[in-house]
Amino acid sequence: SSSSSSSTSTSPSSSSSSFSSSSPSFSSSSSSSSSSSCASGARTGTRPFPFHATSRHHFLPVKSAADVARLRTALENTSPHISADLLGGPTQNIPRVPSADLPVSTFRDEYLARSRPVIITGAMDDWPALAFAPTDDGQRCWNDSAYLKSQAGDRLVPVELYKKEHSSQSYLSESWEQQVMKLSDYIDGFLASNDGEQKGYLAQHALFDQIPSLREDIRVPPYCHTELPSDKNAPPGCEKESALMSAWFGPEGTVSPLHHDPYHNILCQVVGFKYIRLVATEHTSRVYPRSGDMCNNCYVDLDAVDFVKYPQLAGTPSMHCVLGPGEALYIPRHYWHYVRSLSISFSVSCWWGSRMALAKKAAQR
C-alpha cells in the first residue's frame, strides 16, 4: 500500500468455508480449521482477545497456527467493519491457496498475468519473525515487543500521527503530521498504550534497510522473482524493483484509505490481523479517483459510505478478507485496496516489477 505514488482457466484448489454463527472465544487447547470466509453482513460482539501488549511483552496471545485460525474466525464474526454488502454489489472472498499447491509458474500464469488476487498460505513458514514465541536458543519473534526493542529500540523512526477521529482518512486528513521518535517510545506510547488523542502509525518505512538484523528475520517471497512481459518491456524511464520491502507497524484501528499502487504487491502479515477490501482496476471510475499528486487515492471513504454524494459507487463489485499471521496477499498492480488493522499489526509489503501509472483510459472506464 502507498500513501502517494504516481478467459476462464483452472486455478489451484483453494480452501474456504462459511462462518459459524457464534463467536468463538480464545482457548489455546481447542482446534479450528485454517480456512474461513468473510461474513455476509456486519456483526458486533465481544472482542475475542486483548488488543494491547501483555505483561509478558507479547502483543497477541498466539501460540500456534490453530490459534491464528481461531482468532481470525472470531474477528470475522464480530468486527463491525466487515460487511459483505457494504457497497451494495457482489462481494467475493479472496481465495486461499497453500504455497505447496502454487508453484511460481502457476502463480505467474493464473494470478499475476490475470490480475487475480490470492492469499498464499505457508509461504512465510521459514520466516524467523513469525515464530510464535522466543526460545532459549535466541529464536526471533516480532510478536514479542521485548525482542523488537532489543534489536531497534533506540533507533529513530518516522511515525505518522493524526487525530483518532480522522483514522479512516489517516494521511489524507487535515490533522496528519509526521514525527521522528525512538522505536521503543513508539511501542510504549502508541501500542502498549493507546489512550491519547492521536493515532500513530509506522507506515511504509524502509525499516529493513535501516535495521539489518530485522531484515534477517524475513524472506523475499519466491513469487516476487517473476515478472510479466509488460515489466520486461517497460520504457527506460520506468523505475524497476526486484523486491522493495516496507514495514507497516501500528495499533488496532490504523487505516490505509482506498488507493492503488504502481507495482505488483504481496502483503505479508507477521503479527496481528488486517481487514482488506479490494476493488478491481476496471471499476476505477466508480470510486471517484483524485487527480494530481494524489491520483492513486480516491474521494470515497469506506468507513462512511455515501451513495448520495458518490452514486456510481453503489453496486460496485469487490473482494475482501481478514489476513492473519503467516498469510501473504497478492494485490495486483493498480487494484484499489482498503486496509484496516483489527489488532496490533506488523506487516511487510513486497513491491516488485516496473513502476507504472494507471492509464487514463482505465481510470475513465
Side-chain angles (χ1 to χ4, degrees):
S1 298
S2 170
S3 57
S4 62
S5 68
S6 92
S7 78
T8 305
S9 62
T10 302
S11 61
S13 60
S14 60
S15 60
S16 65
S17 62
S18 60
F19 285 3
S20 63
S21 59
S22 59
S23 174
S25 58
F26 176 79
S27 170
S28 60
S29 60
S30 61
S31 62
S32 172
S33 168
S34 62
S35 61
S36 59
S37 58
C38 286
S40 59
R43 303 183 184 185
T44 59
T46 304
R47 287 174 175 170
F49 52 93
F51 287 81
H52 53 78
T54 69
S55 58
R56 295 180 62 83
H57 308 296
H58 292 166
F59 293 122
L60 298 177
V62 174
K63 299 180 180 179
S64 67
D67 290 343
V68 171
R70 188 178 313 107
L71 294 177
R72 182 180 60 237
T73 300
L75 282 168
E76 289 171 331
N77 282 293
T78 61
S79 175
H81 301 286
I82 300 175
S83 174
D85 57 2
L86 177 69
L87 302 181
T91 301
Q92 296 181 345
N93 297 304
I94 302 172
R96 285 181 166 84
V97 178
S99 59
D101 298 335
L102 189 62
V104 171
S105 59
T106 303
F107 168 78
R108 180 196 62 221
D109 297 340
E110 299 294 335
Y111 296 99
L112 188 71
R114 299 174 183 269
S115 294
R116 296 171 57 195
V118 64
I119 298 169
I120 307 168
T121 61
M124 299 166 57
D125 286 353
D126 61 344
W127 286 33
L130 197 62
F132 291 113
T135 61
D136 293 337
D137 64 3
Q139 186 173 0
R140 289 96 79 186
C141 174
W142 288 9
N143 190 39
D144 180 13
S145 62
Y147 171 70
L148 294 177
K149 288 181 179 180
S150 73
Q151 298 300 303
D154 290 332
R155 303 300 294 271
L156 297 177
V157 294
V159 176
E160 297 184 4
L161 301 174
Y162 42 85
K163 292 181 179 179
K164 287 183 176 178
E165 58 265 33
H166 296 161
S167 291
S168 68
Q169 289 294 283
S170 60
Y171 58 82
L172 297 174
S173 73
E174 61 184 19
S175 65
W176 183 91
E177 60 177 311
Q178 195 171 56
Q179 289 185 13
V180 175
M181 64 184 72
K182 290 183 179 180
L183 182 64
S184 59
D185 291 339
Y186 172 62
I187 291 174
D188 293 339
F190 293 92
L191 277 70
S193 174
N194 195 21
D195 298 328
E197 296 181 355
Q198 289 181 305
K199 184 79 72 176
Y201 196 12
L202 178 57
Q204 197 177 344
H205 177 51
L207 186 67
F208 314 114
D209 293 336
Q210 180 185 6
I211 306 170
S213 62
L214 293 182
R215 175 63 181 83
E216 295 174 0
D217 294 343
I218 59 179
R219 308 285 184 261
V220 176
Y223 306 103
C224 297
H225 296 305
T226 187
E227 58 183 359
L228 299 175
S230 59
D231 295 306
K232 298 177 181 179
N233 301 324
C238 289
E239 299 175 27
K240 192 170 185 178
E241 294 289 347
S242 56
L244 180 62
M245 307 182 81
S246 299
W248 305 80
F249 186 27
E252 174 197 4
T254 54
V255 172
S256 292
L258 193 64
H259 68 285
H260 67 81
D261 296 322
Y263 294 102
H264 310 301
N265 182 12
I266 289 183
L267 181 64
C268 302
Q269 191 65 18
V270 183
V271 176
F273 297 83
K274 282 184 169 175
Y275 175 65
I276 300 160
R277 184 177 290 269
L278 306 180
V279 175
T281 309
E282 65 191 81
H283 301 301
T284 291
S285 64
R286 302 180 72 166
V287 300
Y288 295 82
R290 295 173 183 248
S291 58
D293 292 341
M294 303 300 286
C295 62
N296 68 317
N297 291 271
C298 67
Y299 289 101
V300 168
D301 181 353
L302 290 189
D303 287 294
V305 174
D306 188 342
F307 292 138
V308 174
K309 190 173 183 179
Y310 305 113
Q312 293 184 58
L313 180 65
T316 300
S318 63
M319 303 179 76
H320 68 169
C321 72
V322 171
L323 197 69
E327 296 183 325
L329 170 63
Y330 164 59
I331 303 175
R333 179 166 48 204
H334 298 147
Y335 245 65
W336 293 87
H337 49 289
Y338 160 97
V339 185
R340 170 179 282 273
S341 296
L342 300 178
S343 69
I344 289 175
S345 172
F346 204 144
S347 313
V348 177
S349 61
C350 303
W351 284 2
W352 82 99
S354 295
R355 180 188 180 102
M356 296 184 182
L358 179 61
K360 290 184 178 179
K361 63 179 180 179
Q364 293 171 351
R365 270 188 265 182

